[in-house]
Amino acid sequence: MKRFIHTVAVVGLIAAFPALRTAAVAQTPAGNQYQALINNYCITCHSARLKTGGLVLEGRNLNAAADDADVWEKALRKLRGHQMPPPGSPQPDLQAADAFVAWLENTLDANTKGPKAGAVPIQRLNRTEYAASVKALVGVEIDANEVLPQDIQVDGFDNIADALSVSPTFLDQYVTVARHVARLAVGSANPRVSSVKYSVAANQDPENPLPPGTRGGVRFHHNFPADGEYRITITDLGVGPYSNALENECTLVILIDGRLVFRRSIGGAADLALADRKAGTGRAQIMDRFSKIPVQVKAGVRDVAVAFIDRPHFDTGEIYEKLQPYGGLTGGQAVLDRIAQLRDGVEIAGPFHPTGVSQTPSRALIFVCDPKSVGEAACARQITEHLARQAFRRPVTPEDMNRLMPFYEAGRRDGGSFDEGIEKVVAAVLASPQFLYRAIRGPKGTAGDAEFFLTDLELASRLSFFLWNTGPDDELLTLAAANGLTRPGVLEKQVKRMLADPKASSLVTSFAMKWLNLTNLEQVVPDPKLFPGFNEQLRHDFLTEAEEFAGSIFSEDRSALDLLTADYTFLNERLARHYGIPGVRGSQFRRVSPLPQERWGVLGKGAILLRTSYGDRTSPVLRGAWVLDKLLGTPPTPPPPDTATDLSQKAGKQPKTVRARLEQHRSKASCNMCHGVIDPIGLALENYDATGQWRTIDSQAHVPIDASTVLPTGVAINGVKELRAQLAARPEIFARTFTEKLMMYGVNRRLDYFDMPQVRAIVRAAAKDNYKLSSIILGIVKSDSFRKQAPEPEPNTVVAKAAGSAVK
């Protein structure tokens, strides 16, 4: 602990230097002024003898700051967030501290030395990239989370090259998935009969609503492997011994790709009499109408909907929603089941009597020729070359074809069909290292110890995985193969084209949601006794709102600052009711504007407020740390291992507010050094409870919420509105953080000190365009960090460099 305190306190003295200005400043270079301050306030602990915290400042010359850019960039990150000097130490004048930061940044930017780019090792496609690439290549959608192993995350991102390790288990799973995808994509003229059940609860998705005019059903996608007869069974319509589901007549329909394939009524006087007369036998006869329903379906992935088409037998849908399940003979709850309902699921079995495989979207992508017209051998080579070119993201070589064609031949042995041979080829392509891995080698003749520009093909892959999360399309690949991507103006044109493509939505799901730390929202489980209004549907609504909001910023090419300050969001009735916003009806999400100011930007989003809370209370520490890291780019120092973090209420004692408990925690000087920076930011968000609802009274301590605080800058604020105003007042700070995170995502590696001058240059250029998303993205794509590769360092070199930095 003592070492930790010394490290924090002494590094923090760097920020105090500007406060000691003298009349001699105008007569000497600024570097000399700051050098004198370092000698007076830092060398005591950061000498070559003590090396406190592994940092040595003795002998470093600020006039040659670029020679030690790696050290000063780390100091800048702390200084910029006013994390140093730590609370409790003398603080410099705010303007003077900011002036020193600006001077040091300009000095480093104007005198860059050393590398311009980092080394990205060979990397495996993560499971999200694999799923997107499979869909683009053969048109098959897979749930990567279900069939592929979890990827390691770095700062929330799962596409960082050096974390994408490989094990034999990984490879086995990828090979298994490749074979499964190949079967689905090619299909079979005579597949085995199989049965799949779709539960109602697992497939009711508000983002995939039922067809207009229907209600109370389920909608899903099913892969029909061949043309033929399939049999659909509705397993439970609520027709039980103590059920009133037959009191009113309703009509159940089945639609496949919007086409009505089945319609049958249930309930009413005749069915009620049959059930009364024959009891269980009568109910079984009624359910037989909805068992093994034969339908003729063409092969392919089809949209299936099972629902009712009559209006509910209640005055309003709201009344229906509020009714409770029947509590049995002794229960006092209202009866819900006065009409038939989907209670369990839908089974699809088949195919029976298959008649072949018609043209599906997957087969259209694969079968680019007709074997009857050009000959089976020639067509097989043409299909293989087409698939390999797209999958390997480059022109196909004779060596590639020599490795792949034997798979086709193996599929044809022992009477195998042409389709069976192609299925083997598809599986081989999807399991090939050329598909599973991305590597940067540079132009032929590249020296092993020098930086180099990516080839056009390597640049095309990096660009497509950055913007689309998958490999290049045919236009980009053709352009790169002809070395046309790096011609003047071409790269910019391609970026704009790609951003306008629907595949660019991956920037929301794979970048924004992971940057904001929202992909694991299920880890926070609010206590149902404290937050009875929270449920899993609301959690889903939180995520939908966050995705729709971030998606609008990206798709409309708005300013990155709108993520902080936008006065609109996307709500459905349930979420609007949770927020206390009137006038929103229905389950569909729609854009709502203007909003109350407490809901503006990301700070007002329920997903973020839930993610930065515990199950039983809010956490100003988590919320403050989230703002420092995600919005300001200055993550706080992790607490030492022996630090107490439990702020639970003591049993039998008068409940205290979270603020009161934190103030007691901060009374220790060792704790206040960090919490004095983190907590004030989080306290400004205390009007939101753990589920993001606005509150003015602490429900446990029964006292008014106090959201007033003093930021590390010394500025006093009260609540989220004033916190947001302070963040927006320095737009370049948020824009720099956003750019840094986006560049890290785009180049698939952690950023280093030599990237930071490029990040700042991108932000300065984007400022002229109000920080529009396209300006930032183009700046990243044109940077040396994106377009260059450094040689991979030897392991011993990395160790030696780290050791030398500590004693320098």
Side-chain angles (χ1 to χ4, degrees):
M1 174 63 78
K2 183 177 180 181
R3 179 179 178 184
F4 171 78
I5 295 173
H6 282 176
T7 301
V8 174
V10 176
V11 174
L13 289 176
I14 297 173
F17 300 156
L20 303 180
R21 291 172 291 180
T22 67
V25 171
Q27 301 172 7
T28 59
N32 291 342
Q33 172 198 2
Y34 298 129
Q35 187 72 58
L37 296 172
I38 290 174
N39 293 337
N40 291 334
Y41 289 90
C42 297
I43 301 304
T44 302
C45 292
H46 294 291
S47 63
R49 182 176 63 86
L50 292 181
K51 309 171 189 173
T52 305
L55 176 66
V56 177
L57 293 178
E58 183 179 9
R60 298 187 190 275
N61 183 358
L62 258 184
N63 286 315
D67 293 337
D68 298 314
D70 55 339
V71 173
W72 296 116
E73 287 290 355
K74 293 175 183 177
L76 270 174
R77 193 173 294 278
K78 294 292 185 182
L79 297 172
R80 194 182 303 117
H82 298 281
Q83 296 184 30
M84 300 297 165
S89 301
Q91 298 294 315
D93 175 76
L94 178 60
Q95 292 182 345
D98 289 343
F100 174 66
V101 169
W103 175 85
L104 187 53
E105 286 180 347
N106 291 334
T107 299
L108 294 174
D109 293 349
N111 301 280
T112 56
K113 297 181 180 180
K116 301 294 184 183
V120 180
I122 186 171
Q123 66 185 101
R124 170 180 55 82
L125 298 186
N126 66 26
R127 60 185 184 179
T128 306
E129 293 169 338
Y130 182 89
S133 298
V134 164
K135 182 180 179 181
L137 186 65
V138 296
V140 174
E141 291 194 46
I142 59 172
D143 186 343
N145 296 340
E146 294 292 331
V147 299
L148 293 175
Q150 174 71 51
D151 295 307
I152 296 174
Q153 295 186 353
V154 178
D155 284 353
F157 299 125
D158 57 5
N159 68 338
I160 305 304
D162 57 13
L164 291 169
S165 57
V166 178
S167 69
T169 302
F170 269 50
L171 292 179
D172 284 345
Q173 288 178 280
Y174 274 95
V175 171
T176 300
V177 172
R179 290 170 176 165
H180 174 66
V181 169
R183 285 195 298 272
L184 293 178
V186 175
S188 173
N190 191 28
R192 295 178 180 177
V193 173
S194 62
S195 177
V196 180
K197 181 177 179 179
Y198 296 89
S199 71
V200 173
N203 291 279
Q204 286 180 325
D205 183 1
E207 297 304 300
N208 187 27
L210 293 171
T214 65
R215 63 158 189 88
V218 63
R219 187 174 184 177
F220 54 87
H221 287 88
H222 179 74
N223 180 65
F224 296 88
D227 302 353
E229 179 185 301
Y230 293 82
R231 295 169 188 172
I232 301 177
T233 298
I234 315 301
T235 56
D236 186 356
L237 287 172
V239 184
Y242 303 105
S243 166
N244 297 296
L246 301 177
E247 283 191 8
N248 295 285
E249 182 178 352
C250 57
T251 304
L252 183 138
V253 295
I254 300 175
L255 299 95
I256 297 180
D257 286 347
R259 179 175 61 90
L260 182 67
V261 297
F262 175 81
R263 173 178 179 147
R264 193 74 182 265
S265 64
I266 181 173
D271 282 350
L272 189 60
L274 177 61
D276 288 343
R277 188 173 64 254
K278 294 188 176 182
T281 302
R283 290 190 294 271
Q285 290 177 2
I286 294 169
M287 286 303 299
D288 281 345
R289 302 177 199 157
F290 306 95
S291 178
K292 299 180 181 179
I293 303 164
V295 294
Q296 293 291 326
V297 187
K298 296 287 187 181
V301 177
R302 307 291 179 184
D303 178 79
V304 180
V306 180
F308 298 93
I309 59 172
D310 60 318
R311 294 178 59 82
H313 296 266
F314 300 96
D315 292 337
T316 68
E318 183 179 359
I319 294 176
Y320 178 81
E321 291 174 2
K322 291 181 178 178
L323 290 178
Q324 299 297 317
Y326 181 48
L329 294 177
T330 60
Q333 296 172 308
V335 177
L336 176 65
D337 53 355
R338 293 191 181 278
I339 54 174
Q341 304 166 57
L342 292 180
R343 287 286 188 84
D344 183 20
V346 179
E347 290 181 359
I348 301 180
F352 300 92
H353 316 299
T355 58
V357 181
S358 56
Q359 185 76 321
T360 66
S362 290
R363 289 179 65 88
L365 289 170
I366 296 170
F367 292 89
V368 293
C369 58
D370 183 355
K372 296 179 181 178
S373 300
V374 300
E376 291 188 348
C379 187
R381 291 191 67 85
Q382 187 175 339
I383 290 172
T384 302
E385 184 173 359
H386 169 77
L387 285 172
R389 177 177 179 272
Q390 294 295 128
F392 300 169
R393 303 172 286 275
R394 57 169 174 77
V396 181
T397 66
E399 291 78 10
D400 295 325
M401 295 298 293
N402 291 337
R403 284 193 295 267
L404 291 172
M405 288 309 296
F407 289 95
Y408 167 75
E409 295 161 3
R412 297 302 306 271
R413 293 193 191 109
D414 300 325
S417 67
F418 179 81
D419 283 11
E420 289 173 321
I422 295 302
E423 181 184 322
K424 297 289 186 183
V425 170
V426 173
V429 167
L430 295 180
S432 170
Q434 302 294 325
F435 173 66
L436 290 176
Y437 294 90
R438 295 161 55 197
I440 297 174
R441 300 183 177 87
K444 291 183 179 180
T446 298
D449 58 352
E451 285 182 352
F452 57 85
F453 279 101
L454 275 62
T455 67
D456 278 41
L457 286 167
E458 292 166 346
L459 182 59
S461 281
R462 172 168 281 184
L463 180 63
S464 63
F465 278 99
F466 175 29
L467 301 183
W468 287 348
N469 215 26
T470 186
D473 63 357
D474 189 63
E475 178 177 334
L476 186 60
L477 189 57
T478 300
L479 195 62
N483 295 321
L485 188 56
T486 49
R487 293 172 186 162
V490 174
L491 186 59
E492 181 174 352
K493 181 179 179 181
Q494 285 297 308
V495 168
K496 291 181 178 179
R497 176 183 74 87
M498 295 171 73
L499 287 176
D501 191 283
K503 292 195 290 289
S505 62
S506 67
L507 285 170
V508 176
T509 55
S510 291
F511 165 68
M513 297 296 283
K514 292 173 182 176
W515 159 49
L516 297 174
N517 196 25
L518 296 180
T519 55
N520 50 3
L521 195 61
E522 73 283 351
Q523 292 182 0
V524 184
V525 182
D527 186 329
K529 294 181 180 178
L530 298 175
F531 306 102
F534 184 86
N535 53 37
E536 290 305 308
Q537 289 79 15
L538 192 60
R539 188 195 306 274
H540 185 276
D541 291 346
F542 282 171
L543 287 171
T544 301
E545 179 197 19
E547 279 194 19
E548 292 284 347
F549 175 70
S552 70
I553 305 293
F554 279 84
S555 64
E556 297 170 19
D557 194 18
R558 301 173 70 95
S559 168
L561 302 181
D562 285 355
L563 288 164
L564 279 179
T565 61
D567 67 348
Y568 69 89
T569 192
F570 294 82
L571 303 174
N572 64 0
E573 182 175 357
R574 181 170 46 231
L575 185 54
R577 189 164 55 241
H578 185 74
Y579 286 168
I581 297 175
V584 179
R585 295 287 182 266
S587 61
Q588 284 73 36
F589 277 78
R590 79 294 310 266
R591 188 169 183 146
V592 178
S593 176
L595 294 172
Q597 286 196 38
E598 60 264 24
R599 294 299 170 187
W600 288 11
V602 293
L603 291 179
K605 300 295 174 280
I608 287 164
L609 297 164
L610 175 66
R611 188 65 188 88
T612 54
S613 298
Y614 293 113
D616 60 345
R617 64 172 176 87
T618 61
S619 174
V621 178
L622 292 180
R623 289 177 176 178
W626 186 90
V627 171
L628 285 169
D629 181 16
K630 306 300 182 182
L631 306 185
L632 296 177
T634 55
T637 304
D642 58 347
T643 301
T645 58
D646 185 12
L647 296 179
S648 300
Q649 301 270 24
K650 302 299 181 183
K653 291 190 176 182
Q654 177 68 28
K656 294 181 179 180
T657 64
V658 173
R659 173 187 280 270
R661 284 177 266 172
L662 279 174
E663 287 174 350
Q664 183 178 358
H665 186 70
R666 284 201 308 274
S667 62
K668 301 177 182 179
S670 60
C671 296
N672 189 50
M673 285 191 304
C674 289
H675 283 275
V677 175
I678 301 170
D679 297 358
I681 298 174
L683 288 170
L685 301 173
E686 268 296 274
N687 279 120
Y688 301 105
D689 72 9
T691 65
Q693 278 194 307
W694 187 261
R695 59 180 182 166
T696 57
I697 301 294
D698 187 299
S699 60
Q700 293 180 303
H702 304 292
V703 297
I705 294 293
D706 181 5
S708 63
T709 184
V710 179
L711 297 177
T713 59
V715 177
I717 63 170
N718 189 353
V720 64
K721 299 176 187 177
E722 295 181 16
L723 172 61
R724 185 188 301 107
Q726 287 296 311
L727 295 174
R730 297 289 300 276
E732 72 282 356
I733 293 179
F734 174 73
R736 183 187 299 127
T737 303
F738 176 84
T739 302
E740 185 179 348
K741 299 291 187 180
L742 189 57
M743 179 181 279
M744 177 182 175
Y745 172 80
V747 300
N748 310 120
R749 62 173 173 82
R750 300 172 177 88
L751 297 195
D752 214 325
Y753 71 93
F754 48 78
D755 297 297
M756 298 316 298
Q758 298 179 61
V759 169
R760 290 190 284 267
I762 293 167
V763 172
R764 285 192 295 270
K768 302 172 184 176
D769 200 17
N770 193 29
Y771 304 105
K772 283 179 63 174
L773 265 297
S774 58
S775 296
I776 294 175
I777 290 171
L778 277 169
I780 292 173
V781 170
K782 293 178 179 180
S783 69
D784 285 341
S785 295
F786 192 88
R787 297 188 59 181
K788 282 186 171 184
Q789 167 89 332
E792 289 196 40
E794 296 293 333
N796 291 338
T797 304
V798 176
V799 174
K801 181 180 179 183
S805 176
V807 299
K808 191 173 180 179

